[in-house]
Amino acid sequence: MKKIMSVLLVAVVGAGSYLGYTIYEQSNSKHSSKPVSGIAMAAEKQPASHYKELKPENFTFNLIDARTGETIRTFQPVHFDDKSTYEDTIKHLASDLADKYDTPMENAKMDANGNLVGGHKRVVLKEKELVSRLKDLHIYSRNIQVPIEETEPNVTLETAKGINEVVIGSYKTGFNVHDTGRNRNVELSALAINNIILGPGDTFSYNETVGERTAARGYQPAHEIVNKELTMGIGGGICQTSSTLFNAIDLAGLEVVTRTNHSKQVGYVPKGRDATVSWGGPDFKFKNPRNYPVLIKTIMDKQNGSLTVEVRTAKRYTLS
């Protein structure tokens, strides 16, 4: 039995030595003029085909939702070696996923009973970061994390308690009581922003809060300014609401993020103190930089023709 084991051991060592020598010869054949055997030459050709098969374009990658760990899509980088085409492909992919997942923040409101209603987290897919990850693919790591970030509205029932008590900024504009279509648009947009609460660091978007201005939603044809010209359009007049809001939040010390002036001066605010908005176009955005929540309050006096926007907060926050 010992003799048999000895023979097998010798055979294994011999085979290992031969294979080791063959690999050594193969790896050094490019740097030496020494001829190699036909077996070694055949072995040398094999890795080229092998490595070709190991390119990223020959594999399918899983795009994983970083929040849940679930696969949201599979992806085969078929143009990986063509940098220009591949970059266009992955940018389109990232944009397509962003359209699917991105959700604007919906600020909470306070109802007549003092309860918080509505409110929705902001969801953002980081397109540039995803594109960067898709450029750096490795065949041995085929799960790609899709960076999706969520931000909750930063306000609670406890922090909003008494938020209606103190006015920290207020602005009033007037309108013609006989212009019924325009006044209806002002009223609808004012109702949309009424009782909105912004917690510390929360951002407000006029377009996202008011929504699209359509006839189906009750908006009326009225005069509006487009390219320095006065023309009729559905929702004309809503810029008076956004401009009144701008002046109120500015007086309250809130932070303007995005604001655009009209192409010509308007009559309801001083020059340069307006904020034009349009669906799919300019937006008015601002941020609450304070360490406490604030409330947006709108008061429309249709009989006397005035719109007032107030920024309010709890008395306890103004005492500190």
Side-chain angles (χ1 to χ4, degrees):
M1 183 67 178
K2 290 182 179 180
K3 289 183 178 181
I4 294 173
M5 293 298 293
S6 298
V7 171
L8 289 173
L9 180 60
V10 170
V12 169
V13 171
S17 299
Y18 174 77
L19 288 173
Y21 176 76
T22 301
I23 293 171
Y24 173 81
E25 286 293 307
Q26 176 185 338
S27 63
N28 283 280
S29 61
K30 295 180 180 179
H31 307 287
S32 172
S33 59
K34 181 180 178 181
V36 296
S37 68
I39 296 176
M41 290 178 67
E44 185 178 14
K45 294 179 181 179
Q46 192 172 1
S49 172
H50 179 64
Y51 287 127
K52 185 176 181 181
E53 293 174 358
L54 293 182
K55 289 184 177 181
E57 56 262 43
N58 295 319
F59 292 86
T60 298
F61 292 79
N62 301 311
L63 302 185
I64 307 296
D65 188 329
R67 303 166 300 172
T68 64
E70 297 179 355
T71 300
I72 59 179
R73 186 175 297 190
T74 57
F75 171 66
Q76 188 173 4
V78 292
H79 299 296
F80 189 77
D81 282 341
D82 183 343
K83 289 185 177 181
S84 177
T85 302
Y86 182 66
E87 185 165 352
D88 287 343
T89 299
I90 57 179
K91 282 182 177 179
H92 179 78
L93 171 63
S95 177
D96 184 44
L97 289 174
D99 287 343
K100 179 179 178 181
Y101 286 94
D102 283 4
T103 306
M105 179 180 289
E106 178 186 314
N107 302 107
K109 277 193 171 188
M110 180 165 282
D111 65 15
N113 298 316
N115 298 314
L116 294 181
V117 294
H120 193 283
K121 61 190 173 187
R122 176 174 177 258
V123 181
V124 175
L125 187 147
K126 297 180 178 179
E127 295 182 50
K128 290 184 179 179
E129 190 173 331
L130 176 57
V131 168
S132 179
R133 293 181 183 185
L134 291 173
K135 284 181 178 180
D136 189 29
L137 296 179
H138 300 283
I139 60 171
Y140 299 112
S141 180
R142 296 202 293 277
N143 288 336
I144 309 301
Q145 296 291 313
V146 178
I148 301 176
E149 186 178 81
E150 296 182 354
T151 306
E152 297 282 352
N154 194 15
V155 62
T156 64
L157 190 59
E158 180 60 31
T159 59
K161 186 177 180 181
I163 202 171
N164 222 354
E165 295 172 341
V166 180
V167 177
I168 60 173
S170 177
Y171 198 83
K172 179 190 285 189
T173 57
F175 54 81
N176 180 356
V177 296
H178 302 295
D179 194 345
T180 55
R182 185 181 186 281
N183 296 346
R184 178 56 176 162
N185 298 335
V186 173
E187 181 182 23
L188 286 174
S189 55
L191 285 171
I193 68 173
N194 187 42
N195 288 329
I196 289 287
I197 298 178
L198 278 76
D202 282 353
T203 298
F204 174 95
S205 162
Y206 188 87
N207 280 340
E208 290 169 0
T209 302
V210 175
E212 188 173 4
R213 282 69 81 175
T214 64
R217 298 184 64 223
Y219 285 91
Q220 306 294 310
H223 285 103
E224 58 184 3
I225 298 172
V226 178
N227 296 326
K228 299 184 179 182
E229 298 292 335
L230 199 61
T231 183
M232 292 293 286
I234 297 294
I238 62 162
C239 291
Q240 178 163 352
T241 308
S242 57
S243 297
T244 310
L245 173 64
F246 157 63
N247 284 276
I249 68 100
D250 193 45
L251 290 170
L254 304 189
E255 179 185 327
V256 174
V257 176
T258 301
R259 179 176 72 95
T260 305
N261 295 122
H262 286 81
S263 55
K264 64 183 297 183
Q265 188 174 351
V266 296
Y268 42 81
V269 292
K271 185 177 181 180
R273 300 298 298 174
D274 58 315
T276 185
V277 291
S278 67
W279 187 255
D283 194 4
F284 171 50
K285 296 181 180 180
F286 62 90
K287 181 179 181 179
N288 177 16
R290 301 179 180 273
N291 60 2
Y292 53 81
V294 296
L295 172 77
I296 306 300
K297 188 75 177 177
T298 61
I299 304 162
M300 187 162 178
D301 184 345
K302 290 188 283 187
Q303 183 176 351
N304 296 305
S306 70
L307 171 68
T308 302
V309 177
E310 298 176 341
V311 181
R312 300 186 180 190
T313 193
K315 185 176 181 180
R316 67 182 186 275
Y317 293 131
T318 64
L319 299 176
S320 57

